[in-house]
């Protein structure tokens, strides 16, 4: 597993209160290149939001009703994969005027692009999201993060959100889960960066069988994606990289 993830996980595990964990989590994403970080838990209008944006931004954002038109909010309500976005016309041109205005105003405090990570339960219910904002343009962000840093950012965001939600309380129901040896093995190879085809080949399985093991692990951990299943299994100590 990428050393940045294991080091980050170790620092998170050493935190026992929300504020301390929030600082560690935010700094971890900033070390990857984030210029702003936004965490929210539950529905976007419940004000369970913490961010490094200017303190006046979110009260203003909600007062203006921007969240009703924000495509990043909709993505967290319906998507499962990270969304790379920008404030350039190529991204905002087809948006509602209120959404375009919101994106324009975020550039005033240096937020020109970002990665929106939705967090969902295995049942499909949205449980929040993480926004990793950047002062780069969207094309530059893609070049800077690329194939190597984006998966690390995704896993770290999910790890931290899951840890913070537990400290915040009331935003998740955690059930007992026992993973089979094969389910643990598949997740461990996923943690090492292998894709499902490579995992199947490494373990002498068909792709369908490897997919079934991932799906069973997701079901047991109430995770919407394989990356979220990995993050939950790591946080709970069900697997050790």
């Amino acid at each position: 597993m990428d050393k940045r993830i294991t080091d980050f996980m170790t620092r998170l595990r050493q935190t026992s209160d929300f504020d301390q964990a929030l600082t560690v989590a935010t700094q971890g994403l900033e070390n990857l290149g984030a210029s702003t970080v936004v965490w929210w838990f539950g529905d976007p209008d419940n004000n369970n939001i913490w961010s490094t944006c200017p303190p006046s931004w979110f009260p203003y954002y909600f007062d203006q009703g921007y969240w009703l038109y924000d495509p990043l909010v909709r993505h967290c309500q319906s998507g499962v994969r990270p969304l790379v976005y920008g404030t350039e016309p190529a991204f905002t041109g087809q948006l509602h005027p209120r959404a375009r205005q919101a994106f324009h105003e975020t550039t005033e405090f240096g937020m020109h692009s970002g990665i929106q990570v939705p967090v969902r339960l295995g049942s499909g219910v949205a449980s929040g999201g993480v926004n990793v904002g950047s002062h780069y343009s969207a094309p530059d962000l893609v070049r800077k993060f690329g194939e190597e840093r984006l998966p690390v950012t995704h896993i770290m965001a999910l790890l931290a959100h899951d840890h913070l939600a537990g400290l915040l309380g009331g935003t998740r129901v955690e059930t007992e889960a026992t993973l089979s040896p094969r389910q643990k093995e598949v997740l461990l190879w996923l943690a090492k960066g292998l894709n499902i085809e490579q995992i199947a080949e490494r373990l002498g399985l068909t792709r369908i069988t490897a997919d079934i093991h991932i799906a069973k692990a997701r079901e047991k951990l109430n995770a919407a994606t394989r990356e979220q299943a990995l993050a939950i299994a790591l946080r709970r100590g069900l697997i050790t990289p």
Side-chain angles (χ1 to χ4, degrees):
M1 176 178 289
D2 192 295
K3 189 174 185 298
R4 289 168 294 186
I5 297 176
T6 54
D7 288 348
F8 180 68
M9 187 168 56
T10 298
R11 292 194 299 273
L12 273 180
R13 283 176 173 168
Q14 293 170 347
T15 62
S16 57
D17 67 76
F18 182 83
D19 290 341
Q20 183 186 24
L22 183 66
T23 297
V24 169
T26 300
Q27 288 176 346
L29 294 179
E30 288 175 340
N31 289 340
L32 287 177
S35 59
T36 58
V37 182
V38 180
W39 308 89
W40 85 64
F41 305 86
D43 294 328
D45 60 341
N46 65 7
N47 289 323
N48 278 340
I49 295 178
W50 286 261
S51 84
T52 60
C53 299
S56 61
W57 170 245
F58 275 105
Y60 172 76
Y61 171 89
F62 284 108
D63 184 62
Q64 295 296 311
Y66 287 155
W67 71 276
L68 295 169
Y69 306 97
D70 190 339
L72 303 182
V73 171
R74 290 200 298 274
H75 183 68
C76 280
Q77 291 173 329
S78 60
V80 294
R81 298 295 176 188
L83 171 69
V84 178
Y85 69 91
T87 57
E88 298 86 355
F91 179 81
T92 62
Q94 301 302 313
L95 299 181
H96 189 281
R98 301 289 287 165
R100 286 201 303 272
Q101 180 64 23
F103 276 95
H104 171 72
E105 291 181 22
T106 63
T107 64
E108 296 175 6
F109 52 87
M111 192 172 173
H112 293 272
S113 65
I115 303 164
Q116 186 78 0
V117 179
V119 181
R120 302 178 67 77
L121 302 177
S123 59
V125 176
S127 62
V130 185
N131 183 280
V132 182
S134 172
H135 59 269
Y136 295 118
S137 67
D140 284 344
L141 176 68
V142 171
R143 283 192 290 270
K144 293 284 185 181
F145 275 66
E147 295 292 328
E148 181 266 341
R149 204 183 303 180
L150 182 57
V152 174
T153 303
H154 188 193
I155 294 297
M156 285 174 55
L158 291 172
L159 268 170
H161 191 281
D162 188 62
H163 182 70
L164 288 166
L167 293 173
L168 186 62
T171 59
R172 73 173 182 215
V173 176
E174 192 160 283
T175 57
E176 286 290 328
T178 302
L179 300 178
S180 72
R182 188 62 95 184
Q183 289 159 7
K184 292 179 181 179
E185 197 172 13
V186 171
L187 287 176
L188 280 169
W189 283 116
L190 183 65
K192 294 179 186 294
L194 272 64
N195 61 36
I196 197 67
E197 290 85 0
Q198 293 168 325
I199 293 171
E201 183 179 356
R202 181 66 63 97
L203 298 179
L205 306 172
T206 65
R207 182 201 164 114
I208 292 175
T209 302
D211 268 331
I212 289 172
H213 287 305
I214 289 283
K216 289 293 186 182
R218 283 174 48 198
E219 181 181 353
K220 289 180 177 180
L221 297 170
N222 196 23
T225 65
R226 63 187 64 170
E227 293 83 5
Q228 189 180 10
L230 172 60
I232 293 170
L234 287 169
R235 185 191 62 77
R236 295 193 196 177
L238 297 175
I239 59 173
T240 303

